[in-house]
Amino acid sequence: MKIALLGYGKMGREVEKIALEQEHSIVLIIDNENDWLEKGEFLKECDVAIEFTMPAIAIENIRRCFDANVPIVVGTTGWYDQFQEISDLCVSGNKTLFYSTNFSIGVNIFFDINRRLAALLEAYPMYSPAMVEIHHTQKLDAPSGTAITLANDIIAANSRFTKFTEADPGPGEIAIQSIREGNVPGTHTITWSSEIDQITITHEAKGRRGLAAGALMAAEWVQNKNGVFTMKDILNM
Ligand SMILES: NC(=O)c1ccc[n+]([C@@H]2O[C@H](COP(=O)([O-])OP(=O)(O)OC[C@H]3O[C@@H](n4cnc5c(N)ncnc54)[C@H](O)[C@@H]3O)[C@@H](O)[C@H]2O)c1
C-alpha cells in the first residue's frame, strides 16, 4: 500500500517501522500544519492515511481525507464528541473511516472479557466496578479512550450502571482513576469488589508495537470498503 502518515510522533514512527518491514511504502508524512501547506496535495495519491495526532487535530485531518477520497484509519482519541457528525459525513459522502480507541488484538479480546464479566455480574448487585488506567506523562486526554470504551461497554452490558465519573462514584456510576507516570504504554485494570471478595481483570501493553500493527491491519482491511468501521468488524466480536 501507498501510505500517508498523518502525525509522526510516537505512534506514527512505530507504524512506519512495521509498514516498512511489511514492504509497504510511506509516500507522505504530515506532522504539522506547515506540512499540509507544503505537501498536502499528495494525499490524493495514497491508498490510505493513518492518523495518530491530537484530539483537536483529528477532525480536520479526517475531513481532509474525505475530501481527497482517501480511506482514513484514525487512532487519535479524544474527539468522539463529534463522532456522529463525522460518521454521518462519511456515510452520506460514501467515504471510508476506520477508527478505534485501541488497535491491539489483546485489548480487543480484553474488551470482550469486560463485556461478558459486566453481563455476568448484573445479577449480583453486591459487586461494584472501578477502573484504573495508567499511561505515560505525555498523553493529552484522560480518561484514556480505551478506558471510556471499557466503561461504556460495562454500561451497555449491565443495567445497574449508567455513567462513569472521575470523582467519588454515586449509585450507578463507574469510577475511573487516570494515572500519568513514566513511559507506561497503557495499562487498564477493572476491579469488581464486594464485601467478601473481588474480581480483577488487567490488560498491560508491553509497548506500542501491537497498536501500530493493528492500525496497519486495519489499513489493509479497509481497502475497497466504504463506510464506518472499527475493530469489531475485523475481529468478528
Ligand atoms: N487507538 C490506539 O490504538 C492508540 C494508541 C496509542 C495512542 N493513541 C492516540 O493517538 C494519538 C497520538 O499518540 P502519539 O503517542 O503518537 O502522540 P505524539 O504526541 O507522540 O504524536 C502526535 C504527533 O502529531 C503531530 N501533529 C500536530 N499537528 C498536526 C497536524 N495538523 N497534522 C498532522 N500531524 C500533526 C505532532 O507534531 C506529533 O508528532 C493520541 O490521541 C493518543 O491517545 C491511540
Side-chain angles (χ1 to χ4, degrees):
M1 291 182 295
K2 286 189 280 177
I3 299 173
L5 290 180
L6 310 184
Y8 195 52
K10 291 180 282 299
M11 283 304 298
R13 285 164 203 263
E14 192 74 28
V15 170
E16 177 183 49
K17 211 187 297 171
I18 299 175
L20 295 178
E21 283 169 22
Q22 296 180 359
E23 301 190 358
H24 297 300
S25 319
I26 306 295
V27 295
L28 180 64
I29 294 178
I30 302 271
D31 197 45
N32 50 51
E33 282 304 312
N34 200 42
D35 286 347
W36 277 115
L37 292 175
E38 279 179 10
K39 41 189 179 175
E41 65 188 289
F42 297 113
L43 178 63
K44 57 183 182 307
E45 291 165 26
C46 300
D47 297 320
V48 68
I50 301 182
E51 214 273 1
F52 282 97
T53 62
M54 296 189 277
I57 304 286
I59 297 286
E60 188 53 30
N61 285 350
I62 294 170
R63 288 181 190 277
R64 283 164 162 148
C65 288
F66 287 176
D67 289 346
N69 254 324
V70 172
I72 178 166
V73 174
V74 182
T76 304
T77 51
W79 58 273
Y80 301 120
D81 53 335
Q82 292 174 70
F83 178 77
Q84 198 53 52
E85 187 189 332
I86 289 294
S87 175
D88 291 348
L89 196 64
C90 177
V91 172
S92 63
N94 234 5
K95 311 294 181 187
T96 308
L97 169 67
F98 194 109
Y99 73 99
S100 178
T101 56
N102 200 303
F103 287 100
S104 115
I105 291 174
V107 161
N108 281 276
I109 291 168
F110 186 66
F111 284 156
D112 201 33
I113 293 168
N114 173 56
R115 287 190 291 266
R116 290 180 198 215
L117 185 57
L120 271 177
L121 292 177
E122 171 147 35
Y124 303 98
M126 61 285 235
Y127 287 96
S128 302
M131 197 184 317
V132 179
E133 59 99 348
I134 312 174
H135 281 87
H136 54 86
T137 50
Q138 299 100 54
K139 184 163 178 64
L140 294 179
D141 52 325
S144 68
T146 303
I148 293 173
T149 300
L150 287 162
N152 285 334
D153 283 353
I154 292 173
I155 290 163
N158 187 315
S159 63
R160 287 196 288 122
F161 298 96
T162 52
K163 60 193 273 216
F164 63 84
T165 177
E166 294 176 84
D168 284 342
E173 293 184 339
I174 304 161
I176 304 182
Q177 185 189 1
S178 298
I179 298 173
R180 298 288 171 261
E181 63 184 24
N183 201 21
V184 179
T187 301
H188 294 84
T189 299
I190 298 158
T191 303
W192 288 83
S193 295
S194 75
E195 296 248 304
I196 52 166
D197 60 1
Q198 62 185 34
I199 302 168
T200 300
I201 56 173
T202 295
H203 179 275
E204 186 175 346
K206 294 184 175 177
R208 295 188 174 83
R209 193 175 172 87
L211 300 165
L216 266 171
M217 179 173 78
E220 284 185 319
W221 184 88
V222 90
Q223 294 296 303
N224 303 315
K225 294 186 175 72
N226 290 326
V228 180
F229 306 99
T230 189
M231 290 298 278
K232 279 187 197 165
D233 298 305
I234 297 190
L235 299 174
N236 280 327
M237 285 177 166

